[in-house]
Amino acid sequence: MAGIDSGTGVAGSTFTHYNYPGIYQTQDFHHCGLTSNDDIVDYTSRAQVQTCELDNLADLATETEYVRERLAQYANDLLSLGVDGLRLDAAK
């Protein structure tokens, strides 16, 4: 999600590549299992391009109910703060 292996958020919380404490854990992300670090190595490989990470960006498993609920909660929180619109998308 962040494109880095670990860091500190703006509010001081720490995170790692697949662990955002209190929000997302390893099982909430896709893992291609085709390369050592799940990144695309061979752009001529259709399987890697479709299932592996683009430039170390962890991919949320949006097909799971938990991830969809968390995204909906976040969107509703933003709307309650007065946000007029938002866009959730990605492309490879």
Side-chain angles (χ1 to χ4, degrees), residues 26-42:
T26 300
Q27 68 269 16
D28 300 316
F29 295 90
H30 290 126
H31 304 279
C32 77
L34 300 174
T35 62
S36 61
N37 62 356
D38 282 340
D39 278 351
I40 300 169
V41 175
D42 179 4

Side-chain angles (χ1 to χ4, degrees), residues 14-90:
T14 59
F15 63 90
T16 62
H17 193 61
Y18 297 119
N19 187 9
Y20 295 76
I23 303 171
Y24 299 116
Q25 299 175 36
T26 300
Q27 68 269 16
D28 300 316
F29 295 90
H30 290 126
H31 304 279
C32 77
L34 300 174
T35 62
S36 61
N37 62 356
D38 282 340
D39 278 351
I40 300 169
V41 175
D42 179 4
Y43 283 89
T44 64
S45 166
R46 182 177 183 164
Q48 283 189 34
V49 171
Q50 291 180 339
T51 62
C52 294
E53 294 177 5
L54 177 63
D55 200 24
N56 203 35
L57 295 172
D59 184 37
L60 282 170
T62 54
E63 71 276 9
T64 67
E65 188 66 26
Y66 175 78
V67 171
R68 287 194 305 267
E69 286 176 6
R70 290 302 305 212
L71 291 172
Q73 289 171 358
Y74 177 63
N76 286 328
D77 186 41
L78 290 175
L79 293 172
S80 76
L81 296 172
V83 170
D84 290 326
L86 55 109
R87 179 176 169 170
L88 299 172
D89 69 351

